[in-house]
Amino acid sequence: MTDRLNGIHALITGAASGIGAACARRMAGDGAQLLLADVNGDGAKRLADELGQASIQADVTRAADIRRMLDAAYDRWGRLDVLFNNAGIAEIRPLLELSEDDWDRMLGVNLRSVFFVLQAAARRMREQTPIAGSELRGKLIQTASIAAYRGGLANMPHYAASKAGVVSVTRTAAQVLAPYRITSNCICPGAVDTPMWKKIDAEWSKLEGWQAGEAWKRRTSLIPLGRPETAEDVAGLVNFLASRDSDYMTGQALNVDGGLVMGN
Ligand SMILES: NC(=O)c1ccc[n+]([C@@H]2O[C@H](COP(=O)([O-])OP(=O)(O)OC[C@H]3O[C@@H](n4cnc5c(N)ncnc54)[C@H](O)[C@@H]3O)[C@@H](O)[C@H]2O)c1
């Protein structure tokens, strides 16, 4: 526990599980005030109660929920310093079998929502005074993936495309919002041990006719640093991006993957 994030007010989407939850724990431990948002409202509330923070049930694919989420932050704090734009879904769909509905559902959550949550936050942030102790008005942090760069996940073409889109949106936002002193960066985790990867493993292993756990085993065996990634490994980077130590960084896509993107 440090006071690194004292005075920082942050909204985390997809906060009920996995990476979002680990980042919430880490950021709360370092003094941030948090609003935990998730389509799973009960899960977000449970974690918020445990951490002494606030929560809201919100489906980021719905414009009304995005508005409600931002209103909740501004009603509570009068400002928002950090957006951790993290909610996402994954599913296995071989390229030759993927349907239009599969594509729309995936891109709807992982790219369309990420864009409109970012836009809603940036519209409010540009009107506010700088963050205490910083020259910046706000910080936007998106969760992309190393899937944005190269295959390895050949059976998730729509997921990979959505994450490449997140990198693109992150960079455009960095350029457009720099004059307002709002930064925009994204993180690219590798193979992280979360409920999302349990689902990927179940679907991928079934597709290949492997035993459950085999897809995860094969994928993580390729990690140069020699062990699977934990959500806490990701939380360290997000914490840094939320802190004043990263104020001079914008437009970056940062890999936190144990070297997997070079190793596979
Ligand atoms: N697990 C990995 O290996 C990995 C790797 C790279 C990137 N990521 C990305 O990290 C992010 C978090 O993934 P995770 O592994 O923690 O997954 P997870 O499934 O454990 O958590 C995702 C959370 O997002 C929430 N969510 C999903 N759709 C939502 C919606 N429409 N509105 C609001 N909340 C919604 C879920 O309820 C869940 O709590 C995702 O964007 C994912 O693509 C994960």
Coordinates of all heavy atoms in Angstrom, one line a residue, residues 58-71 112-113 116-118 120-121:
A58 N -23.8 -1.4 -15.0 CA -23.9 -0.7 -16.3 C -23.4 -1.7 -17.4 O -22.4 -2.3 -17.3 CB -23.0 0.5 -16.3
D59 N -24.2 -1.7 -18.5 CA -23.9 -2.5 -19.7 C -23.3 -1.4 -20.7 O -24.0 -0.6 -21.2 CB -25.1 -3.1 -20.3 CG -24.8 -3.9 -21.6 OD1 -23.8 -3.7 -22.2 OD2 -25.7 -4.7 -22.0
V60 N -22.0 -1.6 -21.0 CA -21.3 -0.5 -21.8 C -21.7 -0.5 -23.2 O -21.4 0.4 -24.0 CB -19.8 -0.6 -21.7 CG1 -19.3 -0.3 -20.3 CG2 -19.3 -2.0 -22.1
T61 N -22.5 -1.5 -23.7 CA -23.1 -1.4 -25.0 C -24.3 -0.5 -25.1 O -24.7 -0.3 -26.2 CB -23.5 -2.8 -25.5 OG1 -24.5 -3.3 -24.7 CG2 -22.3 -3.8 -25.5
R62 N -24.8 0.0 -24.0 CA -26.0 0.8 -24.0 C -25.6 2.3 -23.7 O -25.0 2.6 -22.7 CB -27.0 0.3 -22.9 CG -27.4 -1.2 -23.2 CD -28.1 -1.7 -21.9 NE -29.3 -1.0 -21.6 CZ -30.5 -1.4 -21.9 NH1 -30.7 -2.5 -22.6 NH2 -31.5 -0.7 -21.6
A63 N -26.1 3.1 -24.6 CA -25.8 4.6 -24.5 C -26.3 5.1 -23.2 O -25.6 5.9 -22.5 CB -26.3 5.3 -25.7
A64 N -27.5 4.7 -22.8 CA -28.1 5.2 -21.6 C -27.2 4.8 -20.4 O -27.1 5.6 -19.4 CB -29.5 4.7 -21.4
D65 N -26.7 3.6 -20.4 CA -25.9 3.1 -19.3 C -24.5 3.9 -19.2 O -24.0 4.2 -18.1 CB -25.6 1.6 -19.4 CG -26.8 0.8 -19.0 OD1 -27.9 1.4 -19.0 OD2 -26.7 -0.4 -18.7
I66 N -24.0 4.2 -20.4 CA -22.7 5.0 -20.4 C -23.0 6.3 -19.8 O -22.2 6.8 -18.9 CB -22.2 5.1 -21.9 CG1 -21.8 3.8 -22.4 CG2 -21.0 6.1 -21.9 CD1 -21.3 3.8 -23.9
R67 N -24.1 7.0 -20.1 CA -24.4 8.3 -19.6 C -24.6 8.2 -18.1 O -24.0 9.0 -17.3 CB -25.8 8.8 -20.2 CG -25.6 9.9 -21.3 CD -26.8 10.6 -21.6 NE -28.0 9.7 -21.8 CZ -28.3 9.2 -22.9 NH1 -27.5 9.3 -24.0 NH2 -29.4 8.4 -23.1
R68 N -25.3 7.2 -17.6 CA -25.6 7.0 -16.2 C -24.3 6.8 -15.4 O -24.1 7.3 -14.3 CB -26.5 5.7 -16.0 CG -27.6 5.9 -15.0 CD -28.6 4.8 -15.1 NE -28.3 3.6 -15.7 CZ -27.6 2.6 -15.0 NH1 -27.3 2.7 -13.8 NH2 -27.4 1.4 -15.6
M69 N -23.4 6.0 -16.0 CA -22.1 5.7 -15.4 C -21.2 7.0 -15.2 O -20.7 7.2 -14.2 CB -21.4 4.8 -16.4 CG -20.3 3.9 -15.8 SD -19.9 2.6 -17.0 CE -19.1 3.5 -18.4
L70 N -21.2 7.8 -16.3 CA -20.4 9.1 -16.2 C -21.1 10.0 -15.2 O -20.4 10.7 -14.5 CB -20.3 9.7 -17.6 CG -19.0 9.3 -18.4 CD1 -17.7 9.7 -17.7 CD2 -18.9 7.8 -18.7
D71 N -22.4 10.1 -15.3 CA -23.1 11.0 -14.4 C -22.8 10.6 -12.9 O -22.6 11.4 -12.0 CB -24.7 10.9 -14.6 CG -25.1 11.7 -15.8 OD1 -24.3 12.5 -16.3 OD2 -26.3 11.5 -16.3
R112 N -16.8 -0.9 -30.2 CA -17.8 0.2 -30.2 C -18.0 0.8 -28.8 O -17.9 2.0 -28.7 CB -19.2 -0.4 -30.7 CG -20.2 0.6 -31.0 CD -21.5 -0.1 -31.6 NE -22.5 0.8 -31.9 CZ -23.4 1.3 -30.9 NH1 -23.3 0.9 -29.7 NH2 -24.3 2.1 -31.3
S113 N -18.2 -0.1 -27.8 CA -18.4 0.4 -26.5 C -17.1 1.1 -26.0 O -17.2 2.2 -25.3 CB -18.7 -0.7 -25.5 OG -19.8 -1.4 -25.9
F116 N -17.2 4.6 -27.4 CA -18.2 5.5 -26.9 C -18.0 5.8 -25.4 O -18.4 6.9 -24.9 CB -19.6 5.1 -27.2 CG -19.9 5.3 -28.7 CD1 -20.0 4.3 -29.6 CD2 -20.1 6.6 -29.1 CE1 -20.2 4.6 -30.9 CE2 -20.3 6.9 -30.5 CZ -20.3 5.9 -31.4
V117 N -17.5 4.9 -24.6 CA -17.2 5.2 -23.2 C -16.0 6.2 -23.2 O -16.1 7.2 -22.4 CB -16.8 3.9 -22.5 CG1 -16.2 4.2 -21.1 CG2 -18.0 3.0 -22.3
L118 N -15.0 6.0 -24.0 CA -13.9 6.9 -24.1 C -14.4 8.3 -24.5 O -14.1 9.4 -23.9 CB -12.9 6.4 -25.1 CG -11.7 7.3 -25.5 CD1 -10.5 6.4 -25.9 CD2 -12.0 8.3 -26.6
A120 N -17.4 9.6 -24.1 CA -18.2 10.2 -23.1 C -17.3 10.8 -22.0 O -17.6 11.9 -21.4 CB -19.2 9.2 -22.5
A121 N -16.3 10.0 -21.6 CA -15.4 10.5 -20.5 C -14.6 11.7 -21.0 O -14.5 12.7 -20.3 CB -14.4 9.3 -20.2

